[in-house]
């Protein structure tokens, strides 16, 4: 009992909270009663099962297939951007330098990111412009929505 009072738990979980069933996320007060403060609760089974299903899907799809799809979409993206007279800062001449990310020069990147977010398009703000990422779950229609939204702010 003396050691319990002198030490702090190394890990905590939702059941080590004084009020675990309040489901509050703003305050966390560790229980004072001996062993109960070390209770973790139960594992997050839904998350564990979802992670397992996601890993199975990725393994079934195959890393090489994912890479091919990401690079093909990125190629499509950069070709469309160039055809619309946007300045692509990512290297385009060497296919060995291609990735799933494209750096696009824009003025006032913060404004562009906000404009795209209002259209449910997520990009990242960078000092020189915005970073656009393609992945295997994207498609050509996603890229066309992006191009249309970018062209809206040009006007």
């Amino acid at each position: 009992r003396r050691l319990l009072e002198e030490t702090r738990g190394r890990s905590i979980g939702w059941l080590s909270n004084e009020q675990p069933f309040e489901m509050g996320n703003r305050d966390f007060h560790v229980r004072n009663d001996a062993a109960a403060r070390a209770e973790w609760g139960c594992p997050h089974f839904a998350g564990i099962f979802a992670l397992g299903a996601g890993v199975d899907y990725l393994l079934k799809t195959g890393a090489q297939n994912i890479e091919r799809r990401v690079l093909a979409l990125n190629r499509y993206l950069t070709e469309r951007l160039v055809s619309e007279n946007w300045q692509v800062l990512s290297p385009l001449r060497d296919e060995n330098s291609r990735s799933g990310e494209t750096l696009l020069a824009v003025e006032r990147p913060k404004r562009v990111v906000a404009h795209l977010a209002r259209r449910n398009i997520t990009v990242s703000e960078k000092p020189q412009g915005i970073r656009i990422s393609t992945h295997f779950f994207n498609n050509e229609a996603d890229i066309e929505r992006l191009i249309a939204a970018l062209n809206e702010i040009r006007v």
Side-chain angles (χ1 to χ4, degrees), residues 56-119:
D56 288 345
Y57 182 75
L58 291 174
L59 291 173
K60 180 179 157 191
T61 303
Q64 288 180 333
N65 292 328
I66 292 170
E67 178 185 12
R68 274 194 293 274
R69 178 64 177 157
V70 168
L71 296 179
L73 282 172
N74 185 268
R75 202 171 292 109
Y76 181 78
L77 168 68
T78 56
E79 288 169 1
R80 288 291 292 120
L81 289 168
V82 169
S83 75
E84 294 286 330
N85 297 314
W86 288 95
Q87 183 186 4
V88 176
L89 299 175
S90 298
L92 297 178
R93 291 185 182 165
D94 183 6
E95 279 295 309
N96 292 325
S97 297
R98 186 175 295 278
S99 74
E101 298 180 349
T102 299
L103 183 58
L104 182 67
V106 298
E107 291 182 25
R108 298 171 54 201
K110 184 180 234 97
R111 182 179 73 96
V112 174
V113 169
H115 172 79
L116 295 174
R118 287 190 296 275
R119 282 148 183 76

Side-chain angles (χ1 to χ4, degrees), residues 129-140:
I130 60 172
R131 183 187 70 205
I132 305 164
S133 299
T134 54
H135 214 310
F136 77 102
F137 48 76
N138 293 120
N139 60 32
E140 289 78 359

